[in-house]
Amino acid sequence: MAERILVTGGSGYIGSTLVPALLDRGFRVTVLDTFVHRQNSLAHVCHDLALEIVNADVRDAATVARLAGEADIIIPLAAIVGAPACDRDPVAAEAVNRDAVSSMLKSLSTDQFVAMPITNSGYGIGEPGAFCTEESPLRPISLYGRTKVEAEAAVLDFGNAVSLRLATVFGMSPRMRLDLLVNDFVYRAVNDRALVLFEAHFKRNYLHVRDVAGAFLHTIDHRDDMRGRPFNVGLSEANLSKRELCERIQAQLPAFTFLEAAFAEDPDKRDYIVSNARMEATGWRPNHSLDDGIAELIKGYRMLRNTQYTNL
């Protein structure tokens, strides 16, 4: 019989891309979500008999324990995502991002597998010119980063688990987010045709949302070789500064202009470059370039004309 996968937060930005991919692969999938953003991002797969939807909160320990107990694989996507959202409600951020994961792990047996996404923002501020590897110290500079790093430690201590340290995700999704950096910059380029950059030299790594889904599928397929370790997951050719990102957008939208301002600071102080060599050594490769994603977003933003698609 096909394996059962529990995906918490499965109707969100990543989940609404991942869940259809899991169903296409023949898995039975249970999605637990509060649908707090009033999204219907899984409407197109509700016909699939292998999909179960549960409207509940990951802080409901009894419900999570029951559903997790029925699963072969757990993918805990549910989170309060991003520094601004976590800063607005730090108690909820700790409860959802860290404590709910730790509680769930206590209900699992060691033959159940956990594939945990965290953010490579845990690296904080890297050494100039030096790639962050999975052995680099984790120095998160936001509550969001800290809660995800602490959740990762609990998951890896569980043993039968893999942590995917995701680069900044971009691209169109059924549950869209405009507050992610690439998505935000392209939206401004399409609609405002101008952008003011703060600390334009700050660098980070990027990854298409469909390649996030592919990374989870790859991890499930290769769990025996990958278990017990963290893996950076990103586009190795896209360790770019904000200025370089704007130049890539400008190449497709020549009317877009951007200015660098020295009079203010970016509240998100992340500045690092990342090596994805460990993940690539397992045979995984991304299929979507940054330029592909920019072109896709430009098309998407001809449909989207409001800011309901955000976690801010």
Side-chain angles (χ1 to χ4, degrees):
M1 181 177 290
E3 289 183 298
R4 166 72 68 181
I5 301 181
L6 171 64
V7 184
T8 70
S11 73
Y13 179 65
I14 291 174
S16 59
T17 298
L18 173 61
V19 167
L22 294 170
L23 292 169
D24 284 346
R25 281 282 301 271
F27 292 107
R28 296 175 296 146
V29 181
T30 298
V31 169
L32 181 149
D33 205 300
T34 60
F35 303 91
V36 66
H37 299 289
R38 296 175 296 187
Q39 67 269 36
N40 64 350
S41 50
L42 295 176
H44 61 299
V45 290
C46 283
H47 68 280
D48 197 316
L49 298 179
L51 175 66
E52 179 184 3
I53 301 286
V54 178
N55 192 325
D57 194 303
V58 289
R59 290 169 288 189
D60 180 349
T63 297
V64 172
R66 175 178 62 81
L67 296 175
E70 299 169 354
D72 302 292
I73 299 166
I74 299 93
I75 302 177
L77 295 182
I80 296 177
V81 179
C86 288
D87 290 344
R88 277 201 309 274
D89 194 343
V91 173
E94 291 181 345
V96 172
N97 295 3
R98 182 195 62 205
D99 298 344
V101 173
S102 296
S103 175
M104 178 199 67
L105 292 171
K106 293 175 184 176
S107 70
L108 301 182
S109 65
T110 55
D111 61 346
Q112 294 174 281
F113 178 68
V114 180
M116 175 74 187
I118 73 158
T119 167
N120 66 17
S121 67
Y123 294 122
I125 300 175
E127 300 297 330
F131 285 91
C132 293
T133 72
E134 291 82 357
E135 308 306 321
S136 299
L138 293 172
R139 297 178 289 205
I141 55 179
S142 67
L143 175 62
Y144 172 59
R146 290 195 298 274
T147 58
K148 297 299 282 184
V149 165
E150 290 163 359
E152 178 190 65
V155 164
L156 293 178
D157 187 59
F158 172 70
N160 191 14
V162 166
S163 170
L164 300 181
R165 295 177 178 174
L166 302 178
T168 297
V169 185
F170 64 89
M172 294 298 298
S173 167
R175 189 334 225 181
M176 192 54 186
R177 283 183 59 193
L178 301 189
D179 53 301
L180 295 165
L181 191 68
V182 178
N183 295 358
D184 175 39
F185 280 16
V186 177
Y187 187 84
R188 293 171 188 268
V190 169
N191 291 284
D192 302 334
R193 299 190 179 183
L195 178 65
V196 177
L197 292 178
F198 305 119
E199 296 175 315
H201 61 287
F202 279 9
K203 290 191 171 186
R204 65 173 80 175
N205 199 210
Y206 302 98
L207 180 66
H208 195 284
V209 66
R210 292 186 180 276
D211 286 324
V212 176
F216 277 108
L217 290 169
H218 178 87
T219 299
I220 291 168
D221 290 342
H222 296 82
R223 71 191 93 163
D224 290 342
D225 297 324
M226 296 174 64
R227 74 177 80 247
R229 293 186 292 165
F231 292 82
N232 293 333
V233 187
L235 279 164
S236 292
E237 68 272 20
N239 279 296
L240 301 176
S241 69
K242 289 186 281 186
R243 181 190 308 110
E244 291 168 328
L245 171 59
C246 284
E247 290 169 351
R248 299 282 281 270
I249 296 169
Q250 192 179 56
Q252 298 194 43
L253 292 170
F256 169 53
T257 61
F258 58 94
L259 303 173
E260 298 179 31
F263 58 83
E265 296 183 353
D266 189 338
D268 188 344
K269 291 291 184 182
R270 282 182 282 168
D271 183 19
Y272 48 80
I273 56 177
V274 178
S275 168
N276 303 295
R278 176 183 286 184
M279 186 66 173
E280 291 169 354
T282 69
W284 175 83
R285 291 293 186 277
N287 294 315
H288 305 273
S289 71
L290 178 62
D291 293 330
D292 291 340
I294 291 169
E296 169 188 310
L297 288 164
I298 292 169
K299 287 187 284 186
Y301 292 152
R302 291 174 181 147
M303 298 184 292
L304 305 183
R305 291 293 181 181
N306 59 63
T307 57
Q308 76 182 75
Y309 303 100
T310 178
N311 281 1
L312 294 177

